[in-house]
Amino acid sequence: MAFHKEFQTAGKEPGLQVWRLENMDLKPVPRQLHGNFYNGDAYILLYTTPAPSYRIHIWLGDKCSMDEKGAAAIFAIQLDDVLGGAPCQYREVQGNESLAFLGYFKSGIKYKKGGVASGFQHVVTNDMNVKRLLHVKGRRAIRAKEVDMSWASFNKGDCFIIDLGKDIYHWSGSESNYFERLKTSEVALDIRDNERNGRAKMHMIEEDGEPEAVINALGPKPSLPPGTSDDKSADVANSKKGSLYMISDAAGSMKTSLVAQINPFKQDMLSPKECYLLDNGADNKIFVWKGPSANPVERKAALKAAQQFIKEKNYPAYTQIQVMPAGGETTLFKQFFFNWMDKDETTGPGKAYSIGRIAQVKQVPFDASTLHSNKTMVAQHGMVDDGSGKVQVWRVEGGEKVPVDPSTYGQFFGGDCYLVLYSYNMGGREKHIIYTWQGLKCTQDELTASAFLTVQLDDSMGSSPVQVRVTQGQEPPHLVSLFKGEPMIIHLGGTSRKGGQSKAGSTRLFHIRQSSTKATRAVEVEPKAAFLNTNDVFVLKSPASMFLWRGVGGTDEELSAAKYVTKLLGGTATEVAEGKEPDGFWLALGGKSEYQTSKSLQKMVKPPRLFGCSNKTGRLIVEEVPGDFTQMDLATDDVMILDTWDQIFIWIGKNANKVERTGSNKIAKDYVESDPSGRRGVAFTTMKQGSEPPTFTGWFQAWDPKLWDTDPLDRIRAQMQSFN
C-alpha cells in the first residue's frame, strides 16, 4: 500500500504529531510550535495513546483553499489506512474545535495570519524582530488570534498580547476578568518559553498604564469601546438532542435513512454490517460510526458522507465531524445511548479508573483507551523521546549552580530550585532541553538566580536548548520519565543542601501515581488520612513504623515505585491492603477519617468531566474544561461542576457572584436531566472553596489545600520578575 513517507513514523510513539500541508505535500511542525496555526493553511494531527489508540484531526484555517481541504481529507484517509482503520477521525474548523483537540494545548491555541502561500513558515528561531498583536479569548478553551496591530483591535473587556520580539506585553482591559487574565499570562509565558526559547522579557500591563514602547508601537491611544460577548447562545436541553441515520451506498450513491428520531438510542440499533450517522446538529456536531463488517466503500466514504449531510441540512460550515470505528467510540458519542456497554463489559473494569491513567484490564474485554476520549497529557507536554538520554542536575545555591549527587537524581525538595539538562539524539543530531524546576518554598533570590543560571547555561550551549520552566506540582511527564525507570520524588519542603533550611517532619506520607505515559511520581502530602485515595499506593513513615499501603485500584507499577521510595526513606515497610489496616497505621495518620473511596473510581468506565458556570458575559453559561483537568482549572470567580457519573459535585469559588451561586444548583439539575443517556437519580454535593471533602479532592492528584493562600497571578508576576 502506497502512503506518504511522513507516515512511516506515524503512531510509533505516544504523543502528538502535527503536519502542515505545503503545496499539496506534508511537512512536520516542530514540537515547540505545536498549537500555532496559520489561518490560510490546513493541518493533519495524529494523537497516539500508550494503549495504543489513535485520533486523527483535520484542521482547516478559515482562509485555506478548497484544494487544501480536499488534499487534507485524502491524507487523513491514507493515514487511517496506515493505522488499520483503527483511528477516530475529527474534522476541525478554526474557532470551533472539539474538546479533544483543545485539550492538547492547555496553554491555548494561537491563530496566525497568512500561510504557505504568503511565505510564512513554522520555524523555531530566536528572532527578536517580531511585531504582532494577539487577541485572547476564552476561559476554559483558550484561543489567541492574530489581529491588526492597531488600537482599533482593542476593547476594554478582553486581554491582548502585544508581542514586540524582545518584549512581550500582557495587556488587560479595565473590564476583563481575573481568570481570563490568568489564562492570558499562560499564553504569554508559552510564547516566551517556546517561540523565543526563554529569551524575551514579559510584562503585565493594565489599560491606561501602557509604557512608552507600547505607545511607540501602536501610536497614541484613543478611547476604547467596551467589551462584547462573542459567546454562542445555546439551549442546553436542545444541544443534547440527536437523531440516528444509517449510511448506505446500495443505490450507487451515498444516502442516509432515519433509524431513530430521538435519543437515547439502544446500542443494538448499531449493526456491525453498517455505517451510521448520529446527527447532533443542534450542538454543531456530527458523529459517524463504522461497523467492523461494513462495506469498505462505505467505511472509506464516511467523512465525505458527513460533509454531504451537513450541506443537505444547511448546517454551519464549522460543524464538527467525528468518525469512529466500533470499539473506538468517544465519550460524546456514547452519551447518546441508554446504558452504553463496552465489549464484554458488565459493571465496568475491576481495576480503578483515575485521572490521567489508562485502566489496566487483563483480558482486554474492551479498548481501554476509549475511556480517555479527552485524555491528552502526553501531547500537551511534548514527549520528545522515552527519557533514555543523558541527564545532568544542578541545585541553585548562593547564586550558583551546584552539581547534585547522581545517586539522588529524581529527588526534588520544595525549598530548592534545580536545573535539569537533558541531552538526546534526534535525526543524528544532539538536542537539549533545560528544565528549570522551582520549589514552592524556595526564596525569591533562588527564583531569580534559577532564571539567570538558565540563560547562562543556554548561552554556553550556543542558545540551542529548549527551555522549560516547571513549578513544583506541575511537572510534565517527560521530566518525570528521565530517571531511569524510577519515580520522580517530590518532597513537600526542605532542601537537599547540607545543613538544610528545614528538617523533614517526623511523620511523612507519599502519594504514588502512574500517569498515562507510564511515568510515576511520588508526591509528599500532609500525613493525614484524608489524603489517601483508593486508586493509588502510599508510603507512610513515622518514628515507630513504616507502611506501604495499596488502595483497591493501585497498580503493580505503583507498588514497585513505592518500594523504591521506602528504600530511600530507610527501614523496612509493612505492606498493608486497603481495608486491612492495623491500628498503628491510623495512629500514625492522627486517626481514621473519610478519604476518596468513590465506587466510580473502582468500577465505572465513564471519565470525569469538569465544567465552569459563569455569567461574566451577562448570561449564565456552562463550558467544559478540555483535556486533563487540574486543581488550577477551578476558577475562583466561578462555580464549577464535577461530574463523576454517579455523583455531581458543585464547587463554589470564593469570588463567584450571587447569580452564579444561586443558579448553580439549577444548572447542575438541568445538566443531568438533559443528559442524552437518560441518566436519573444522581447525588449532588455542594461545597465552598476551602471546604472540599476528600470525595472531591481525590479526583485531583496531590490536592494542595494551600494553593489559594497566594494569588496565582502574583506567583506568575514573581516568576516573570525572576526571568526578567
Side-chain angles (χ1 to χ4, degrees):
M1 177 179 62
F3 57 85
H4 197 283
K5 65 181 187 299
E6 278 295 329
F7 295 154
Q8 290 174 355
T9 59
K12 302 295 185 191
E13 297 288 339
L16 187 68
Q17 293 169 273
V18 183
W19 297 275
R20 179 170 74 155
L21 268 77
E22 298 186 9
N23 301 316
M24 302 305 155
D25 195 10
L26 287 180
K27 299 291 182 183
V29 175
R31 285 181 184 273
Q32 298 100 300
L33 300 181
H34 285 184
N36 288 268
F37 297 91
Y38 285 104
N39 67 355
D41 291 332
Y43 295 76
I44 300 289
L45 293 83
L46 172 66
Y47 176 67
T48 306
T49 73
S53 67
Y54 313 98
R55 292 202 289 269
I56 296 170
H57 300 263
I58 301 170
W59 186 91
L60 306 173
D62 57 16
K63 304 286 186 188
C64 86
S65 68
M66 290 302 294
D67 286 345
E68 287 171 320
K69 290 176 182 178
I74 291 168
F75 280 126
I77 291 170
Q78 197 179 105
L79 180 54
D80 186 68
D81 282 342
V82 169
L83 298 170
C88 180
Q89 297 179 48
Y90 298 72
R91 187 193 71 158
E92 315 282 0
V93 178
Q94 179 179 338
N96 292 276
E97 296 84 359
S98 66
L99 278 169
F101 184 91
L102 295 168
Y104 304 142
F105 313 106
K106 290 292 269 190
S107 295
I109 291 177
K110 293 178 276 295
Y111 302 133
K112 296 183 173 182
K113 286 183 174 181
V116 175
S118 314
F120 292 101
Q121 300 297 322
H122 283 291
V123 181
V124 181
T125 69
N126 284 327
D127 182 14
M128 295 299 181
N129 298 316
V130 178
K131 191 176 180 183
R132 62 176 176 168
L133 178 65
L134 296 172
H135 184 184
V136 183
K137 294 290 285 182
R139 292 171 61 77
R140 326 292 164 199
I142 314 302
R143 294 178 171 92
K145 182 178 181 181
E146 186 174 350
V147 293
D148 290 339
M149 188 79 176
S150 159
W151 284 117
S153 300
F154 284 75
N155 67 69
K156 292 175 177 288
D158 291 330
C159 295
F160 293 78
I161 294 172
I162 305 161
D163 184 359
L164 302 181
K166 291 180 181 178
D167 292 280
I168 300 167
Y169 295 90
H170 164 189
W171 183 95
S172 299
S174 56
E175 296 171 7
S176 64
N177 69 64
Y178 171 85
F179 204 64
E180 286 173 340
R181 294 179 182 214
L182 185 61
K183 291 297 181 181
T184 301
S185 67
E186 292 175 8
V187 178
L189 286 169
D190 185 67
I191 293 171
R192 182 194 70 184
D193 293 347
N194 289 315
E195 293 188 37
R196 299 295 137 69
N197 281 332
R199 295 184 159 269
K201 291 183 178 179
M202 188 175 142
H203 314 270
M204 293 178 80
I205 59 175
E206 303 279 336
E207 181 183 343
D208 296 332
E210 295 84 4
E212 187 179 351
V214 169
I215 300 297
N216 288 342
L218 291 165
K221 184 162 81 93
S223 60
L224 301 178
T228 56
S229 169
D230 63 349
D231 296 299
K232 301 175 186 70
S233 297
D235 180 335
V236 173
N238 283 334
S239 70
K240 299 295 180 71
K241 287 183 178 175
S243 300
L244 188 65
Y245 295 82
M246 183 190 293
I247 300 173
S248 171
D249 71 339
S253 61
M254 284 294 161
K255 299 290 183 187
T256 54
S257 55
L258 186 66
V259 175
Q261 182 71 55
I262 301 173
N263 57 290
F265 311 120
K266 291 180 181 176
Q267 196 172 346
D268 59 13
M269 289 177 175
L270 301 175
S271 164
K273 297 179 180 178
E274 305 292 349
C275 292
Y276 294 84
L277 184 148
L278 196 161
D279 175 12
N280 181 217
D283 198 29
N284 299 319
K285 293 182 181 68
I286 298 291
F287 303 89
V288 178
W289 184 88
K290 300 186 293 186
S293 308
N295 178 327
V297 175
E298 290 173 359
R299 288 172 60 85
K300 282 187 181 297
L303 181 63
K304 191 175 180 181
Q307 290 172 323
Q308 181 181 317
F309 185 87
I310 287 170
K311 280 184 182 175
E312 289 173 358
K313 289 284 188 178
N314 205 23
Y315 286 156
Y318 55 73
T319 300
Q320 293 173 19
I321 299 173
Q322 295 184 18
V323 181
M324 65 207 73
E329 297 86 2
T330 63
T331 302
L332 290 179
F333 176 80
K334 289 191 282 190
Q335 71 176 347
F336 285 92
F337 292 80
F338 179 74
N339 198 25
W340 178 279
M341 305 292 275
D342 284 293
K343 185 183 174 188
D344 297 335
E345 179 201 339
T346 52
T347 57
K351 289 281 184 177
Y353 166 79
S354 69
I355 296 165
R357 175 194 296 162
I358 298 291
Q360 303 295 315
V361 184
K362 285 184 180 173
Q363 304 123 343
V364 197
F366 58 89
D367 180 358
S369 62
T370 63
L371 307 188
H372 298 269
S373 64
N374 286 354
K375 299 307 153 195
T376 53
M377 184 185 293
V378 185
Q380 291 163 18
H381 299 285
M383 291 290 287
V384 296
D385 70 350
D386 60 2
S388 59
K390 182 183 177 185
V391 179
Q392 297 175 73
V393 185
W394 296 271
R395 182 179 57 254
V396 176
E397 195 172 323
E400 301 293 333
K401 65 180 201 295
V402 177
V404 169
D405 182 348
S407 68
T408 66
Y409 278 8
Q411 292 194 60
F412 293 78
F413 290 79
D416 284 335
C417 288
Y418 298 86
L419 268 60
V420 179
L421 175 62
Y422 180 67
S423 305
Y424 64 103
N425 193 284
M426 181 174 281
R429 293 178 58 194
E430 189 173 49
K431 301 205 169 192
H432 310 278
I433 302 173
I434 302 171
Y435 288 104
T436 307
W437 188 91
Q438 299 172 333
L440 291 176
K441 297 185 179 179
C442 68
T443 65
Q444 183 61 46
D445 287 346
E446 287 166 339
L447 269 178
T448 304
S450 70
F452 172 76
L453 293 168
T454 299
V455 173
Q456 194 178 69
L457 178 59
D458 185 66
D459 285 341
S460 71
M461 302 180 74
S463 303
S464 65
V466 171
Q467 297 177 34
V468 182
R469 173 189 44 80
V470 179
T471 302
Q472 179 180 344
Q474 304 292 322
E475 295 79 14
H478 185 255
L479 173 59
V480 180
S481 72
L482 300 187
F483 306 106
K484 312 308 174 199
E486 305 296 357
M488 180 177 186
I489 300 172
I490 300 166
H491 300 265
L492 198 56
T495 173
S496 57
R497 72 189 71 171
K498 289 179 181 174
Q501 301 162 321
S502 60
K503 194 176 178 183
S506 57
T507 300
R508 308 179 72 188
L509 182 65
F510 286 85
H511 180 180
I512 291 118
R513 178 178 285 178
Q514 186 181 53
S515 76
S516 60
T517 64
K518 307 299 182 187
T520 307
R521 287 197 317 167
V523 183
E524 187 176 5
V525 295
E526 288 186 48
K528 294 178 181 175
F531 285 88
L532 295 174
N533 191 311
T534 193
N535 301 282
D536 302 317
V537 175
F538 288 76
V539 172
L540 171 63
K541 186 180 192 309
S542 72
S545 55
M546 183 152 58
F547 297 96
L548 196 163
W549 184 88
R550 181 173 183 167
V552 170
T555 66
D556 291 341
E557 292 91 342
E558 288 165 345
L559 190 67
S560 174
K563 289 177 179 176
Y564 177 79
V565 174
T566 60
K567 212 185 297 181
L568 287 176
L569 293 175
T572 306
T574 303
E575 287 192 33
V576 175
E578 183 177 7
K580 298 181 179 177
E581 300 87 354
D583 292 342
F585 178 82
W586 298 117
L587 190 66
L589 289 172
K592 194 171 183 178
S593 69
E594 184 187 11
Y595 63 89
Q596 174 59 285
T597 57
S598 170
K599 67 180 181 181
S600 290
L601 289 175
Q602 296 170 31
K603 293 182 181 177
M604 297 299 289
V605 297
K606 305 288 192 286
R609 300 171 73 183
L610 184 66
F611 299 83
C613 308
S614 171
N615 74 333
K616 301 296 182 291
T617 61
R619 180 174 50 83
L620 202 54
I621 57 171
V622 182
E623 295 176 289
E624 184 168 358
V625 174
D628 287 316
F629 57 78
T630 69
Q631 190 179 351
M632 285 293 287
D633 286 310
L634 296 172
T636 58
D637 59 344
D638 280 345
V639 169
M640 309 292 293
I641 293 175
L642 175 64
D643 178 6
T644 63
W645 187 250
D646 71 333
Q647 192 163 11
I648 298 287
F649 295 95
I650 302 166
W651 181 91
I652 301 172
K654 66 179 181 181
N655 298 320
N657 63 41
K658 187 177 179 181
V659 173
E660 291 161 347
R661 290 197 304 272
T662 55
S664 58
N665 279 288
K666 185 177 186 306
I667 281 187
K669 185 169 174 286
D670 290 346
Y671 165 73
V672 173
E673 289 181 353
S674 65
D675 191 318
S677 68
R679 179 167 41 144
R680 293 291 181 270
V682 182
F684 288 77
T685 301
T686 302
M687 73 207 72
K688 291 187 174 68
Q689 180 183 340
S691 302
E692 298 86 359
T695 48
F696 176 81
T697 61
W699 293 95
F700 304 81
Q701 189 192 3
W703 176 274
D704 181 3
K706 297 176 182 173
L707 177 70
W708 295 294
D709 287 358
T710 55
D711 186 328
L713 264 178
D714 287 343
R715 284 201 296 270
I716 288 173
R717 287 189 186 99
Q719 289 169 359
M720 279 168 33
Q721 288 170 4
S722 67
F723 270 78
N724 290 351

